[in-house]
Amino acid sequence: MSLTEVSTEEVEPHVAAPVAAPVVPSAGGGGAANDHKAVGGAYLGIALLFLVVGGVLALIMRAQLTSPDSTALTDQQYRSLFTFHGTFSVFLFLIPAWIGVATMVVPLQIGAGRLAFPRLQTMTLWLTVVGAGLVSATPFIQGAKRITTGWALDRPIPEGAAFRGKAIEYLLLGVVVILAAAVAASANLIVTIVKLRAPGLTARRMPLFSWSVLVSGAVLLLALPVLIAIMGMLFVDHHFGAQLFSGFTGSRGGNPEMWQRLFWFGAYPMLWALVLPVLGLASEVIPVFARRPIADRAKALGAMGAIGVLAFFGWGSEVTNLPRSRLFFAAGTLVVLLPVASVLVNWLLTLRAAAKERGAAELREGLASGPMLYVIGIVTVLAAGLAASAFSAIAAGRSYHANYWQIGQQHLMYFAPATLGIAAAAHFWGPKIWGRYLSPTAGKLEALLLAGGAHLAFLPALVLGLQHMPVETSAYTAGDGWQAANVVMTIGTAVFAFGTLVFILDLFFSVVLRRGPEAPADPWSGHTLEWTAPTPLPRHNFDRLPEVRSATPALDLHAAEGELDR
Amino acid sequence: MSLVPTSGYGVSELPPKAALARPRPPDEVPKGTNLLGVLLLIMADAMVLATLLAAWITIKGGSLSWPPAKVHLTTYLPSVITITAAMSGFSMAWAVSSIRRNDQRSATIALILTSLFGVAIVNAQWYSMVRAGFGIGDHAYGTLYLLLIGYHAVHQVLAVGALILVGSRAIVGHFGREGYDPMRAVAAFWYYSIAAWMLIMAAIFLFSRHA
């Protein structure tokens, strides 16, 4: 395509120029239902539903643990809630949420009109719905009361006579369906990013969010099949009376140690893959509001790639019975933190450079806007999570395992940044994708509540970890001395839940009921291609694409328009 | 509204005339898209197989008699499957190269031959599962044996199905030198299926005490 031959008459500011679409778009031959914006939105809807469900379960558990000697829930009930809280939050909130955001944003960011396989993404959406149905049905199936083993299904492995009933089979089937859908959706996103990028959008110029999705998709593609396989094997054990994961009973039995090893071999990289898009998102938002490109682009790209690779070297730290390779995996969990820290430092350097260039006062103005406040929240939560992770990596296998330290660390590192990130993504890209701003005032409140709530809820968990409170504790006595931190944790959880509620209401009123103020095509003076598309977005996203000659094509386009005006 | 940052890139990099390009037509599929999609799914699939093999190796390593004393399997059927799989690989390669050369007649013969090989493999695998002499719940060996062979049989069925769908398009002349992306995708899956069988075969029969 010869790009420079376009005459100046054709160049108009993209906001004011509704040009006839060059082709009749059908986005892959499917109906309107295959539009990546709609499919991604539906994914996000499912995810938010299960964020609420998981959150309600968390609140019930917190109510139990707020005071000592609580008898509201039996031990079995508590552990059951604990298991479903984890299962819902990981498999039905975190995974669909990021697939949803990526499905909505990635084609726009790379200047494509669609995903590589639009119908495939719709299929994965419905598979996710089916899986969600199976998992949600589990609590009402016979034998559900005995599913008390945590979301890793390892305390103990649910098989054998003690776990009779079909409930566990529903759970396993549901999760396998969700994971299979996630694998196909990730593959779709990867192909889209590799094959459908706009001309000139080289790998080095790729938007950082799309890059993070590419890396995260590759990790999910390799990690999730391991979980699919072992859950399938556990299903066979349960359904056909096989014994792959139970006792060394001579010729009949399998190997119970295998479960944890294989599970965490898949689940540990998966958790990192769910952090990666948060890093990508923040690396997108910070430069826009700092009004300068990111400090070191090559380092940001490299660091995110490194996280994807190193994520596969720390799984052993989650395995309780792995004496020999302890040191190796401790090193693995530690080393992966370095690129994460590098990305964080990159953000801070970007802000410092912006302050130097334009003065702190002007920078502060940019930082006070909705999406940026979330990102500041993400930075603080991630920093705490990094510190907690480093500490537990160094002390791996000692006393910080299977106690509340683990809960605090995992929530600070994986859960809180992801939740803040999804809210940030809605505020940042919402005006583009849905054509409406989310409420800026509510946004500030949400950011404060979510970030503050996360710190209040999960830092005390670290304290409880130091006091050796076991993960599955369903009740404790006053003599344990755990009450103070538990009370703070409950308050934090409530604050976080309130923040989530405000966010969802905001989303509902501003976007679903369309009460939010209408947004222009480029509300934030964005850097990447999505901001050059018209708002409201046509089905095929772009009528025209600016020539991509740098990592910030939208800025280049504005600059050139400015030159033409003069 | 336009905002020119004060640093980050040089003026020389700015587009001289705000050149606007036409986006790729939404219906245009770049070359190799289907193939890449299938290759990625193969990668994911290979991780499932790797997990099953890891379980095989782990349990085998910890067990005193592997296979259990009552299991008597011969290498006859698996050898037949292996040879058939190898032949199907050659005939598939022949089919793809015929399509690339626009040689319709050879392509038709090769595609029919390949799908017959595929059906023969599924058939032999079916027998090696039902005539194994043990059930899926009898012992860990039996569970993994049936899971591994079953894993491959499912892939072979899918591969034959895809071959019939895409191959019939090839036979009526939908593909040619200019475009045969779907055919390459099916061929990639077929080759993977053969490679997977070789691994399964090696794990079950080569490194054990079968006659």
Side-chain angles (χ1 to χ4, degrees):
Chain A
M1 207 178 303
S2 152
L3 302 171
T4 42
E5 281 170 22
V6 182
S7 70
T8 38
E9 281 81 23
E10 271 184 56
V11 178
E12 293 157 273
H14 59 277
V15 202
V19 201
V23 280
V24 181
S26 73
N34 292 332
D35 187 358
H36 71 92
K37 279 112 43 197
V39 173
Y43 255 117
L44 194 59
I46 298 174
L48 290 177
L49 174 70
F50 283 95
L51 172 65
V52 172
V53 175
V56 169
L57 298 187
L59 284 173
I60 300 173
M61 291 193 296
R62 289 319 310 165
Q64 163 89 354
L65 289 181
T66 305
S67 51
D69 303 312
S70 177
T71 52
L73 298 169
T74 65
D75 183 54
Q76 196 182 45
Q77 281 169 334
Y78 180 89
R79 283 160 169 252
S80 177
L81 285 182
F82 178 79
T83 304
F84 283 107
H85 164 76
T87 307
F88 286 144
S89 305
V90 176
F91 296 118
L92 280 167
F93 163 59
L94 285 179
I95 292 181
W98 280 117
I99 288 180
V101 174
T103 301
M104 282 194 285
V105 172
V106 161
L108 284 164
Q109 274 209 317
I110 61 171
R114 44 167 265 191
L115 289 161
F117 308 109
R119 276 167 292 193
L120 177 68
Q121 209 72 351
T122 312
M123 191 187 85
T124 65
L125 171 68
W126 288 110
L127 280 178
T128 306
V129 171
V130 170
L134 285 168
V135 174
S136 318
T138 307
F140 309 102
I141 307 287
Q142 190 210 350
K145 269 187 256 164
R146 284 184 285 270
I147 304 180
T148 57
T149 58
W151 73 276
L153 301 175
D154 61 345
R155 296 189 193 115
I157 303 162
E159 72 167 31
F163 289 92
R164 228 168 277 133
K166 289 262 176 263
I168 186 72
E169 292 178 14
Y170 274 71
L171 183 71
L172 290 171
L173 265 187
V175 174
V176 164
V177 170
I178 293 164
L179 295 180
V183 168
S186 305
N188 199 353
L189 288 165
I190 294 175
V191 179
T192 307
I193 295 171
V194 173
K195 286 284 174 188
L196 297 188
R197 291 202 309 276
L201 195 64
T202 57
R204 291 193 130 239
R205 293 173 186 164
M206 208 193 292
L208 290 165
F209 178 73
S210 292
W211 172 249
S212 74
V213 170
L214 183 71
V215 178
S216 152
V219 173
L220 291 180
L221 196 79
L222 294 176
L224 296 187
V226 177
L227 295 182
I228 293 176
I230 58 167
M231 290 194 174
M233 282 150 72
L234 187 55
F235 181 88
V236 168
D237 270 11
H238 213 267
H239 195 82
F240 298 105
Q243 300 193 343
L244 291 179
F245 295 114
S246 58
F248 305 95
T249 48
S251 56
R252 252 178 72 74
N255 185 341
E257 285 186 343
M258 217 166 52
W259 175 266
Q260 268 201 341
R261 294 175 193 193
L262 290 175
F263 183 90
W264 286 111
F265 182 83
Y268 182 81
M270 174 192 78
L271 290 175
W272 278 112
L274 298 172
V275 175
L276 270 166
V278 186
L279 302 179
L281 163 103
S283 309
E284 212 65 78
V285 173
I286 289 175
V288 168
F289 288 93
R291 309 235 180 282
R292 80 179 302 287
I294 193 155
D296 191 334
R297 206 181 150 70
K299 266 206 188 100
L301 290 168
M304 283 191 239
I307 295 169
V309 174
L310 295 173
F312 284 94
F313 292 93
W315 56 273
S317 61
E318 303 286 341
V319 178
T320 37
N321 185 17
L322 201 66
R324 271 176 299 174
S325 335
R326 186 69 65 197
L327 200 65
F328 172 79
F329 289 117
T333 45
L334 210 53
V335 171
V336 70
L337 301 178
L338 295 177
V340 182
S342 146
V343 175
L344 235 106
V345 170
N346 213 333
W347 299 341
L348 299 178
L349 289 178
T350 309
L351 291 176
R352 198 181 68 171
K356 266 191 193 157
E357 283 159 17
R358 215 166 302 102
E362 205 179 315
L363 179 67
R364 227 170 280 136
E365 213 172 285
L367 296 191
S369 50
M372 194 58 209
L373 280 177
Y374 278 103
V375 169
I376 295 171
I378 292 174
V379 173
T380 62
V381 176
L382 263 183
L386 272 176
S389 302
F391 189 71
S392 65
I394 291 164
R398 308 260 171 78
S399 46
Y400 302 104
H401 234 79
N403 72 23
Y404 260 60
W405 186 277
Q406 195 183 8
I407 288 194
Q409 179 236 328
Q410 289 185 348
H411 282 80
L412 284 170
M413 199 72 220
Y414 308 120
F415 172 74
T419 314
L420 278 157
I422 283 151
H427 276 267
F428 185 60
W429 282 305
K432 175 90 263 163
I433 288 163
W434 301 308
R436 303 275 163 167
Y437 285 103
L438 275 78
S439 159
T441 327
K444 283 173 190 169
L445 180 68
E446 290 155 22
L448 193 68
L449 289 173
L450 287 176
H455 285 290
L456 268 183
F458 307 129
L459 290 177
L462 299 179
V463 176
L464 287 171
L466 294 175
Q467 295 175 336
H468 306 294
M469 178 164 158
V471 164
E472 302 98 333
T473 309
S474 61
Y476 55 93
T477 60
D480 290 326
W482 296 336
Q483 195 191 356
N486 266 304
V487 169
V488 182
M489 216 179 144
T490 305
I491 296 171
T493 311
V495 172
F496 194 88
F498 184 59
T500 311
L501 188 72
V502 177
F503 167 61
I504 290 176
L505 286 178
D506 183 10
L507 205 59
F508 182 74
F509 280 107
S510 304
V511 176
V512 180
L513 298 184
R514 308 203 71 72
R515 297 257 181 87
E518 272 185 48
D522 186 5
W524 318 115
S525 298
H527 292 188
T528 37
L529 277 180
E530 70 264 37
W531 307 110
T532 67
T535 300
L537 282 168
R539 175 68 202 274
H540 50 283
N541 293 346
F542 294 92
D543 292 326
R544 299 167 148 198
L545 281 175
E547 187 180 2
V548 181
R549 290 192 177 188
S550 74
T552 53
L555 281 186
D556 299 349
L557 182 66
H558 291 321
E561 281 166 3
E563 251 171 36
L564 281 180
D565 289 346
R566 259 179 268 137
Chain B
M1 121 141 233
S2 76
L3 175 100
V4 187
T6 49
S7 75
Y9 42 80
V11 175
S12 63
E13 272 184 305
L14 292 176
K17 297 249 162 79
L20 286 169
R22 278 185 159 198
R24 173 183 284 116
D27 282 341
E28 181 194 301
V29 180
K31 228 176 178 180
T33 302
N34 291 315
L35 183 65
L36 180 62
V38 168
L39 287 178
L40 291 175
L41 287 181
I42 288 174
M43 275 169 65
D45 216 359
M47 288 305 287
V48 173
L49 177 62
T51 310
L52 288 173
L53 289 175
W56 177 276
I57 292 164
T58 311
I59 297 180
K60 181 184 173 184
S63 91
L64 295 174
S65 61
W66 189 267
K70 276 172 283 175
V71 172
H72 301 289
L73 295 167
T74 65
T75 47
Y76 172 67
L77 266 182
S79 308
V80 169
I81 295 173
T82 308
I83 294 166
T84 319
M87 289 193 297
S88 80
F90 287 116
S91 65
M92 179 57 107
W94 179 26
V96 174
S97 83
S98 306
I99 291 170
R100 194 186 303 133
R101 286 181 284 107
N102 279 340
D103 181 350
Q104 201 62 31
R105 205 172 135 267
S106 304
T108 308
I109 298 171
L111 286 168
I112 292 174
L113 201 59
T114 312
S115 35
L116 288 179
F117 282 142
V119 172
I121 295 172
V122 177
N123 180 53
Q125 283 175 338
W126 178 258
Y127 272 99
S128 54
M129 287 193 284
V130 293
R131 297 235 174 129
F134 46 77
I136 196 166
D138 287 358
H139 38 64
Y141 181 91
T143 315
L144 283 174
Y145 174 88
L146 291 173
L147 277 179
L148 281 167
I149 308 256
Y151 167 90
H152 192 262
V154 167
H155 280 71
Q156 202 59 50
V157 168
L158 289 177
V160 170
L163 183 62
I164 289 172
L165 282 178
V166 177
S168 52
R169 281 179 66 194
I171 288 173
V172 298
H174 273 196
F175 307 125
R177 192 176 293 135
E178 303 74 34
Y180 58 110
D181 213 31
M183 198 60 228
R184 279 165 71 196
V186 171
F189 190 72
W190 195 276
Y191 297 142
Y192 166 68
S193 185
I194 296 171
W197 172 258
M198 301 299 169
L199 287 174
I200 294 168
M201 162 85 187
I204 298 182
F205 294 100
L206 289 190
F207 303 105
S208 65
R209 59 155 184 79
H210 287 292

